[in-house]
Amino acid sequence: MSATQDRSTPHVLIVDDDEGIQALMKALLLRRDVVVDSATDGDVALRKLRERSYDSIVLDLMLPKVNGFEVVRDLKNRTPELLKRTIVVTAVSNLMLRDFKDSELVRRVMRKPFDINEFIDEVLACAAENSH
């Protein structure tokens, strides 16, 4: 599908098990004409990432089944270029973030609660960079 995918409309995958936060992020992006897919765990996210390409990924770290750290490791091995378009949005402790050695590979780590405008700007910037 990626060969025929419409490149003018950004496609974003939101991976977060908090359905309220996921719904908020989705609503914010839909207002900006972004096509949004979502997953509530890393296992579903990895499956979706194998099925289609995305301009950006918004990824929580603490997920059921396969966590966000494992998703980042998978991306690092399979599609490392996608890490530059991955925004980690998390509420994990500073200690846990310090141990997140791959944090320099992702575009940005944003702490929950995040600034809504900053979030939108980051996602749209990822999409714009990928469309070139």
Side-chain angles (χ1 to χ4, degrees):
M1 176 157 188
S2 58
T4 59
Q5 186 171 301
D6 178 7
R7 301 311 304 162
S8 63
T9 304
H11 288 71
V12 175
L13 176 63
I14 296 174
V15 189
D16 199 312
D17 62 326
D18 183 321
E19 291 180 13
I21 290 178
Q22 191 184 102
L24 170 66
M25 291 189 282
K26 190 172 186 171
L28 292 168
L29 295 174
L30 287 173
R31 285 173 150 169
R32 298 296 185 103
D33 298 323
V34 174
V35 175
V36 179
D37 279 347
S38 56
T40 54
D41 67 65
D43 189 43
V44 172
L46 291 173
R47 202 167 333 121
K48 287 184 180 232
L49 287 163
R50 283 189 286 274
E51 292 169 359
R52 69 161 308 138
S53 61
Y54 292 93
D55 297 300
S56 183
I57 302 170
V58 177
L59 177 67
D60 188 13
L61 293 175
M62 302 310 292
L63 299 165
K65 296 181 185 172
V66 175
N67 66 40
F69 299 102
E70 294 169 281
V71 171
V72 169
R73 261 194 307 276
D74 185 84
L75 290 173
K76 194 163 97 172
N77 293 327
R78 246 180 356 93
T79 50
E81 68 281 358
L82 193 50
L83 287 170
K84 290 181 283 206
R85 299 191 317 270
T86 299
I87 301 163
V88 171
V89 180
T90 187
V92 299
S93 69
N94 287 331
L95 180 63
M96 203 173 239
L97 268 183
R98 238 191 340 262
D99 292 338
F100 179 34
K101 302 298 181 211
D102 292 330
S103 64
E104 71 277 358
L105 300 175
V106 299
R107 178 182 181 92
R108 176 101 186 259
V109 176
M110 296 180 80
R111 301 300 304 246
K112 292 178 183 175
F114 52 85
D115 179 276
I116 288 172
N117 292 320
E118 229 177 289
F119 168 77
I120 293 168
D121 290 347
E122 281 295 325
V123 174
L124 294 177
C126 280
E129 288 169 17
N130 193 44
S131 65
H132 295 108

